[in-house]
Amino acid sequence: ACKCGIAEYTRYLTSALIDLGHDVKIFGEKNANSDAPCDVPYQVCYQRQNPQSYINLVNALNEFNPDIVHLQYEWNLHHTDGLFLELAKPRPHFTTWHNVIPDDKSAFYGKLSDRHIVHNQPCSQMLQSRLGIASKIIPHGTRKNVVTPTDEAKRKLGIDPNRKVISVYGFIVPRKGFHTILTSLGKMKQYCPEAYFMVIGGHHPDGAQFTANYVDLFNRAEEQYSDDVRVTGFMTDESLVDLHLSASDMIVFPHLGNDNIISASGSVRRVIDSGKLVAVADILFYSEFTGDMAVRIPKTESHITMGRFLGRWLAKSDGNEAMKLRDNLKIYAEDTSWSKVARSHVDYFLQFLSSR
């Protein structure tokens, strides 16, 4: 499996485009642990922090001779200086902005691209208002999950089916706010005595020491409160991730921060096809997940009141109100499947090529 969100996104999109009959290849950077981290056509041709190495990317693309070069632009790539070597070449360039950073470098790279793709309205508005760049909104794709009945999944994992499992998903890093659920568990159990907290994730394989210290907080909680807390650790087996999602009654994304995060969440996309009650922080980062399909955690909820808010929802995660949200979210997952998202990309590519 690929290790970061952008790599996973690129892998899924590439696979879906190939399934539609197109010749697609990823031209990526040298990876510390593997020269080909994805199970799709992949060629190593540059090193992110070595600007001169980007000439290898240009040469590799010259040899491949694509109709479209599609850049997956994100925070780390933004802090390199070699990308202009490719963008200066006279061939069509599409850029998907996974993060919108409204500065001079984004404006420079943006003017060199022929077309622009974003995942939601806040990203589109930021590109237009701050950088004068028009974009097309194509949602982040959604993986089709293998869903096991909840009670069966709990039994397979050794969890009492009578427990109500509230989960978080993703790499354990402070900005994701997983600790707010851990510290709220006691209060949560006052409103849902069967509450059981599961962290579906672990330390990033390439993570820094300070994130390892943060992860250790959860590992110690699991040791001390083994009847109420489970930490799975980092999992590369997608079927095992699916099983843990299936065992969840509610999945929460309590991201810290405010509306200065102009991006879109790939982690939420990984879980929504499992048909669970999903709660997200009420920030632009989760703007696609509206109140008719997900619980939006009000900004007014503090670490003191979070347990009450989530405990009430967890207790009624199978009730009528929650089921309406879950049904709508499942429909949205189907509408944004990778096959449909890939088709939207192809239509956009062909529209541009036919207009040249």
Side-chain angles (χ1 to χ4, degrees), residues 93-97 113-117 134-135 348 351-352 355:
H93 292 96
F94 280 58
T95 296
T96 289
W97 298 79
S113 292
D114 296 284
R115 292 292 186 273
H116 304 270
I117 297 170
S135 60
Y348 195 33
Q351 181 187 53
F352 170 79
S355 67

Side-chain angles (χ1 to χ4, degrees), residues 209-228:
Q209 183 58 44
F210 85 92
T211 59
N213 294 335
Y214 181 69
V215 173
D216 192 48
L217 294 174
F218 296 87
N219 293 333
R220 288 197 304 235
E222 182 182 32
E223 292 175 1
Q224 294 179 28
Y225 308 103
S226 58
D227 290 339
D228 292 322

Side-chain angles (χ1 to χ4, degrees), residues 73-75 97-102 118-130 255 258-265 283-287:
Y73 194 74
E74 44 77 46
W75 177 260
W97 298 79
H98 294 276
N99 308 99
V100 179
I101 305 162
V118 294
H119 297 316
N120 57 31
Q121 190 64 38
C123 288
S124 179
Q125 290 175 342
M126 179 64 75
L127 272 181
Q128 183 65 61
S129 64
R130 296 291 296 276
H255 207 291
N258 50 39
D259 287 334
N260 62 355
I261 307 170
I262 308 301
S263 182
S265 172
I283 56 177
L284 293 179
F285 186 51
Y286 300 118
S287 63

Side-chain angles (χ1 to χ4, degrees), residues 25-69:
K25 187 174 186 178
I26 299 174
F27 293 83
E29 64 179 319
K30 172 69 175 177
N31 183 281
N33 299 307
S34 172
D35 283 346
C38 296
D39 54 359
V40 292
Y42 186 103
Q43 181 175 341
V44 173
C45 49
Y46 68 95
Q47 290 179 300
R48 184 183 300 174
Q49 300 302 332
N50 179 5
Q52 297 304 315
S53 72
Y54 283 74
I55 193 64
N56 299 327
L57 170 64
V58 174
N59 292 337
L61 286 167
N62 287 341
E63 183 176 348
F64 189 62
N65 192 28
D67 297 301
I68 295 285
V69 174

